[in-house]
Amino acid sequence: MPKKVDHDARREELVLAAWRVIAARGIDEVTIREIARESGYSSGVLAHYFENKDDLLAHALRLSHTRIQKRYDAELGAPLPVDQLRGILLDNLPLDEQRELETRIEMSFWARALRNEALHEIQEQESETLRALLRELVVKAQADGAIAADHDVEEVLELLGAVIDGVSLHALLYPDRLPAEKQAKVMEFALRLLA
Amino acid sequence: MPKKVDHDARREELVLAAWRVIAARGIDEVTIREIARESGYSSGVLAHYFENKDDLLAHALRLSHTRIQKRYDAELGAPLPVDQLRGILLDNLPLDEQRELETRIEMSFWARALRNEALHEIQEQESETLRALLRELVVKAQADGAIAADHDVEEVLELLGAVIDGVSLHALLYPDRLPAEKQAKVMEFALRLLA
């Protein structure tokens, strides 16, 4: 009897290999052959799981976002909405190795998403999912008085979203200037300003 | 007598052709041949002006920053430091076609700067130049009372820097969500929070 393959597990394994290569070499220069080499499988096996490079990249971005969202459950266990909000905001910064890898993946996709509609759509969906969660928490924090009630919710969301991606970008580009505790301080500062 | 060539002007002409190709096709896929075609000159002429692709890219980034800095003179003519600050901050957002092109160039470089030391160094120098100018204006605005004096200057700078790049990124990725007037509103909101 042939060995039974767990296709979902293998797909994830291949996507993780893609992540590592993308983080190291940049998304545009990555080839299917290199990802195959990194994964230990053949290009033929990869072709069985992914239609083409863009399909593989789309899976890589989705897996990154799925992993981020799984961590949210812990953050959402905090009693106060503003602490839940803080938890989610900090979780989106490259504060440790795992999240730095995720941020590199994300950064690799930004420029490419401008020129690839399928990737752009995934990027936008995922961005809207995060914004919907943040919106809910901001509204609750405003009801609690932890964020001033007269701030426009959409402006608060744009500001916090910009701080997440701006700080993430600068932390990767200038790690000496923005070690983890400094990144967290900037986010805390933003929350204090909104209070 | 051979025609006299203005080498600086030609170098700029070639770099502008590089910009257009980078903005349209992304930095990693751009070839010297494509830039030559766009410029109307031969690859041989390009080779005369730039050692290699990275050298050309470094010039493209520098020209982008030089153009941005030239515009600062106008902003720095405002009477109040906080208005000068606002002018510089807004000038760094993709509010019109020229600045959208500059932002695309910038975005293209971010991921690449992580893996290319020469580009990273230019990126960091230019970032420090902007930060030095913003620092000066923030300190003056604090003395004037337009920014609260008890805010830590470095935290203010990190926040404003994050808002510039975060809003720029989101404006390019999600132009329907962040048209020019919305981008400006987010920046005004940040300044109001700091008051």
Side-chain angles (χ1 to χ4, degrees):
Chain A
M1 240 181 79
K3 206 169 71 179
K4 219 175 152 192
V5 173
D6 179 340
H7 288 293
D8 286 343
R10 181 168 292 174
R11 185 175 285 113
E12 184 160 328
E13 197 183 337
L14 296 170
V15 167
L16 287 174
W19 267 31
R20 293 190 295 273
V21 182
I22 292 169
R25 302 244 304 123
I27 196 169
D28 287 308
E29 289 174 44
V30 164
T31 62
I32 287 284
R33 188 188 295 260
E34 283 173 299
I35 295 168
R37 198 182 305 134
E38 171 74 23
S39 73
Y41 292 99
S42 69
S43 298
V45 169
L46 253 87
H48 181 74
Y49 287 92
F50 306 103
E51 274 177 49
N52 51 39
K53 192 178 154 187
D54 281 334
D55 186 37
L56 172 57
L57 297 176
H59 276 87
L61 191 58
R62 281 227 178 83
L63 178 64
S64 175
H65 289 147
T66 304
R67 293 198 153 197
I68 295 169
Q69 275 168 29
K70 270 189 193 152
R71 289 197 307 259
Y72 289 172
D73 293 342
E75 316 298 351
L76 294 176
L80 290 179
V82 71
D83 292 327
Q84 295 175 17
L85 178 63
R86 174 182 293 107
I88 303 285
L89 292 171
L90 293 176
D91 199 49
N92 274 277
L93 298 179
L95 299 176
D96 58 28
E97 223 172 296
Q98 169 65 23
R99 286 177 284 183
E100 198 202 295
L101 178 60
E102 287 162 2
T103 305
R104 278 176 187 267
I105 302 286
E106 196 80 22
M107 262 180 83
S108 285
F109 280 96
W110 289 340
R112 198 173 175 101
L114 290 181
R115 295 183 303 280
N116 178 318
E117 225 170 291
L119 289 180
H120 188 271
E121 205 170 304
I122 294 173
Q123 187 91 45
E124 184 152 28
Q125 279 168 10
E126 305 286 346
S127 158
E128 285 306 319
T129 304
L130 174 60
R131 277 163 63 80
L133 174 59
L134 293 176
R135 186 179 290 113
E136 198 188 310
L137 295 174
V138 166
V139 169
K140 283 186 189 165
Q142 284 187 308
D144 268 10
I147 289 183
D150 57 345
H151 291 325
D152 179 85
V153 180
E154 296 307 313
E155 281 185 6
V156 173
L157 288 176
E158 289 300 346
L159 185 84
L160 291 175
V163 174
I164 288 175
D165 282 337
V167 168
S168 296
L169 171 70
H170 295 163
L172 259 67
L173 285 174
Y174 316 118
D176 294 341
R177 202 180 87 200
L178 279 167
E181 74 273 14
K182 194 81 182 283
Q183 296 173 46
K185 272 183 84 172
V186 180
M187 193 55 87
E188 296 285 356
F189 181 48
L191 281 175
R192 259 194 339 270
L193 290 176
L194 290 168
Chain B
M1 239 179 82
K3 205 168 72 179
K4 218 174 154 193
V5 173
D6 179 340
H7 288 292
D8 286 343
R10 181 168 293 176
R11 185 176 284 112
E12 183 159 329
E13 197 182 338
L14 296 170
V15 167
L16 287 174
W19 268 30
R20 293 190 295 273
V21 182
I22 291 169
R25 302 245 304 122
I27 197 169
D28 287 309
E29 289 172 44
V30 163
T31 62
I32 287 284
R33 188 189 294 259
E34 283 173 299
I35 296 169
R37 198 181 305 135
E38 172 73 24
S39 73
Y41 292 100
S42 68
S43 298
V45 170
L46 253 87
H48 181 76
Y49 287 93
F50 307 103
E51 274 177 49
N52 51 38
K53 192 177 154 188
D54 281 335
D55 186 38
L56 172 57
L57 297 177
H59 276 88
L61 191 57
R62 279 227 179 83
L63 177 63
S64 175
H65 289 149
T66 304
R67 293 199 153 197
I68 294 169
Q69 275 168 29
K70 271 191 192 152
R71 290 196 307 258
Y72 289 173
D73 293 341
E75 315 298 351
L76 295 175
L80 289 179
V82 71
D83 291 328
Q84 295 174 18
L85 178 63
R86 174 182 293 109
I88 303 286
L89 293 170
L90 292 176
D91 199 49
N92 275 277
L93 298 179
L95 299 176
D96 58 29
E97 223 173 296
Q98 168 65 25
R99 285 177 284 182
E100 198 202 295
L101 178 59
E102 287 162 2
T103 305
R104 277 175 187 267
I105 302 287
E106 196 80 21
M107 262 181 83
S108 286
F109 279 96
W110 288 340
R112 198 175 177 100
L114 291 181
R115 295 183 303 280
N116 178 316
E117 224 171 293
L119 288 181
H120 188 271
E121 205 171 304
I122 295 174
Q123 187 90 46
E124 185 152 29
Q125 279 169 10
E126 305 286 346
S127 158
E128 284 306 319
T129 304
L130 174 59
R131 276 164 62 83
L133 174 58
L134 292 177
R135 186 179 290 112
E136 197 188 309
L137 296 175
V138 166
V139 169
K140 284 186 190 167
Q142 285 187 309
D144 269 9
I147 289 183
D150 57 347
H151 291 326
D152 178 86
V153 180
E154 297 307 313
E155 282 185 7
V156 173
L157 288 176
E158 290 299 346
L159 185 84
L160 291 176
V163 174
I164 288 175
D165 282 336
V167 169
S168 296
L169 171 70
H170 295 162
L172 258 67
L173 284 175
Y174 315 118
D176 294 342
R177 201 180 87 200
L178 278 167
E181 74 273 14
K182 195 82 182 284
Q183 297 173 45
K185 273 183 83 173
V186 179
M187 193 54 88
E188 296 286 354
F189 181 49
L191 281 174
R192 260 195 337 271
L193 290 176
L194 290 167

